[in-house]
Amino acid sequence: MQAAYGARPVDWLLENAAVDGRWCLIHATQMKPHETEALAATGAVAGLCPITEASLGDGIFDALRWQAAGGRFGVGSDSNLRIAQAEELRSLEYSQRLRDRGRAMLATEVASTGRVLFETAAQGGAQAAGRDSGALAPGMWADLLALDMGAVDLEGRQGDGILDAWIFAGDDRMVQAVWSAGRPVVSGGRHVARDGIVARYRAVMRRLAGVL
């Protein structure tokens, strides 16, 4: 990019496009500090895939600087080896701890690490997807997630401690139900179309094995 246009990608983008809250920039792990701050100020969302970024060695998103500059992020997955929402959030926080040698890096004075991760990702993801969701409020879409409070790692947990335990001590097996715009997507810990999805996946893998 620098050889062709004389500028780094984010610098060039900010100079040549009207970047605003309608934008979602994926990964964003290669930015310089000034780029991080300038992009955060536009209201754009950083679309993070921490498992993939770690697996491919793509670098660590500067979430602390981004957060301090008022930036918004969403968390998803484009991983071919692991799809797990709790682990994506955990990986994001742990990358900050490893880089800066600290603990509870994204926590604030009023919200635990788990709550900051979950709420920020929910709101940023809703913005990136153009959905009126990301929070429990009148008029918003019913995009909801329910955890299994019978899970042993959630025993005795309340408030922020529930999110902290799910993200840092548990995994997505704790997810009991998910609704998208009020429609059930996961029920009893299983995707409503799981059987069909698994059957198609097995068929594809068998065909690939035959080709390879």
Side-chain angles (χ1 to χ4, degrees):
M1 183 76 181
Q2 282 185 293
Y5 294 98
R8 290 171 51 82
V10 172
D11 280 336
W12 185 93
L13 178 67
L14 293 175
E15 291 176 3
N16 291 275
V19 181
D20 57 22
R22 296 171 296 176
W23 288 67
C24 178
L25 289 89
I26 306 302
H27 300 309
T29 57
Q30 304 291 330
M31 295 190 294
K32 298 291 187 181
H34 75 276
E35 294 173 314
T36 299
E37 294 167 354
L39 187 59
T42 67
V45 176
L48 310 179
C49 307
I51 292 176
T52 295
E53 291 149 13
S55 174
L56 299 180
D58 287 340
I60 298 173
F61 177 71
D62 193 350
L64 297 178
R65 188 180 303 276
W66 183 263
Q67 182 187 52
R72 307 166 185 179
F73 66 78
V75 174
S77 177
D78 62 1
S79 178
N80 290 320
L81 59 97
R82 186 72 174 152
I83 298 176
Q85 188 65 25
E87 292 177 28
E88 296 282 5
L89 296 172
R90 183 189 313 149
S91 296
L92 174 57
E93 166 68 18
Y94 280 178
S95 68
Q96 310 304 301
R97 298 184 188 189
L98 285 168
R99 182 192 60 214
D100 297 331
R101 300 184 182 184
R103 300 182 183 180
M105 300 299 284
L106 291 172
T108 69
E109 293 182 358
V110 297
S112 73
T113 308
R115 178 166 292 280
V116 170
L117 286 167
F118 183 80
E119 289 189 344
T120 306
Q123 293 164 8
Q127 177 180 325
R131 293 174 71 89
D132 193 12
S133 61
L136 293 175
M140 285 196 167
W141 291 17
D143 291 345
L144 308 172
L145 177 149
L147 298 177
D148 177 9
M149 292 306 295
V152 65
D153 288 317
L154 297 181
E155 186 66 31
R157 302 290 181 177
Q158 297 180 350
D160 286 13
I162 295 173
L163 290 172
D164 290 334
W166 171 46
I167 294 170
F168 294 105
D171 54 38
D172 284 353
R173 287 174 293 184
M174 287 183 178
V175 177
Q176 183 70 15
V178 176
W179 295 266
S180 175
R183 297 185 296 271
V185 177
V186 173
S187 179
R190 288 174 57 89
H191 193 283
V192 295
R194 179 179 176 82
D195 291 342
I197 293 170
V198 170
R200 290 193 298 272
Y201 176 81
R202 290 185 183 278
V204 169
M205 295 307 294
R206 285 195 295 268
R207 287 198 298 271
L208 289 174
V211 171
L212 298 175

